């Protein structure tokens, strides 16, 4: 499955600290190349879940494959291919909101009293800063972090650029 997409990369979609994402011939999928082994392990865990157990708040991951070290001529660092659902960056307003409330979003991911308080704060802030129609998506960010934690995946690189939405709106 991965091979057919690896051969048909259309354009680079974005770049992060550990790799790049490329659009593929399938408009709803991207191919990420990452050098972060913890990211590869996390997405492998997600990809291996039975469909009924995959959290809806986490990107769909179709497969993860290590690029053989023998393929790398100048670098001994391991790289991984991740074929996943295409996501879209937060818009300017969403990025500004995340930058202001990122810690609150991460706190709201819990299930204790602090988390419930943080969820209420997010509800009010989203309604005021972004509009009532954005309350659900903002709370979904917290749910995504909580769902990842339930899978044993701890978020360590949380910033606006790493939170995306599944439609371009």
């Amino acid at each position: 499955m991965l091979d057919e997409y690896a051969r048909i990369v259309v354009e680079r979609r974005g770049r992060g600290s550990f790799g790049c994402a490329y659009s593929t011939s399938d408009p709803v999928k991207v191919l990420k190349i990452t050098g972060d082994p913890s990211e590869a392990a996390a997405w492998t865990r997600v990809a291996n879940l039975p469909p009924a157990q995959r959290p809806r708040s986490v990107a769909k991951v179709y497969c993860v494959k290590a690029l053989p070290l023998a393929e790398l001529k100048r670098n001994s660092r391991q790289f991984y291919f991740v074929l996943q659902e295409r996501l879209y960056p937060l818009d300017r307003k969403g990025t500004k909101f995340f930058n202001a409330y990122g810690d609150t979003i991460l706190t709201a991911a819990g299930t204790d009293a602090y988390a419930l308080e943080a969820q209420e704060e997010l509800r009010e802030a989203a309604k005021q800063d972004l509009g009532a129609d954005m309350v659900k998506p903002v709370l979904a960010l917290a749910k995504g972090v909580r769902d990842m934690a339930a899978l044993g995946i701890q978020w360590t690189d949380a910033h606006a650029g790493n939170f995306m939405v599944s439609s371009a709106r």
Side-chain angles (χ1 to χ4, degrees):
M1 176 190 227
L2 184 60
D3 293 339
E4 68 185 80
Y5 291 102
R7 280 188 245 121
I8 308 173
V9 169
V10 179
E11 69 177 304
R12 189 164 89 173
R13 302 291 315 161
R15 183 169 185 260
S17 300
F18 296 101
C20 296
Y22 298 89
S23 56
T24 67
S25 57
D26 185 334
V28 298
K29 295 177 182 174
V30 296
L31 180 67
K32 286 179 67 177
I33 301 174
T34 181
D36 181 357
S38 65
E39 179 181 13
W43 290 133
T44 298
R45 185 172 293 157
V46 171
N48 289 336
L49 286 171
Q53 292 178 16
R54 291 183 186 170
R56 288 186 46 207
S57 59
V58 175
K60 292 176 187 155
V61 178
Y62 303 101
C63 63
V64 179
K65 190 173 184 178
L67 181 64
L69 285 173
E71 300 285 328
L72 305 173
K73 306 292 183 216
R74 294 176 280 161
N75 196 334
S76 60
R77 185 169 151 202
Q78 180 72 64
F79 285 90
Y80 306 87
F81 288 131
V82 180
L83 184 64
Q84 71 172 63
E85 166 187 20
R86 180 178 180 179
L87 300 173
Y88 299 86
L90 299 175
D91 60 18
R92 186 178 302 168
K93 208 172 179 182
T95 298
K96 184 178 177 184
F97 183 86
F98 185 90
N99 289 336
Y101 291 97
D103 289 341
T104 307
I105 290 170
L106 296 177
T107 301
T111 55
D112 58 14
Y114 293 115
L116 298 177
E117 232 176 85
Q119 289 169 20
E120 189 54 40
E121 181 183 342
L122 281 176
R123 237 182 233 100
E124 292 307 310
K127 199 181 305 179
Q128 182 179 337
D129 294 0
L130 301 173
D133 61 324
M134 288 302 293
V135 172
K136 274 187 173 181
V138 165
L139 292 175
L141 290 175
K143 182 169 177 10
V145 173
R146 184 171 50 249
D147 289 344
M148 294 287 274
L151 296 172
I153 301 166
Q154 297 304 312
W155 204 282
T156 58
D157 190 18
H159 57 80
N162 278 350
F163 281 84
M164 298 191 168
V165 294
S166 58
S167 69
R169 277 192 255 152

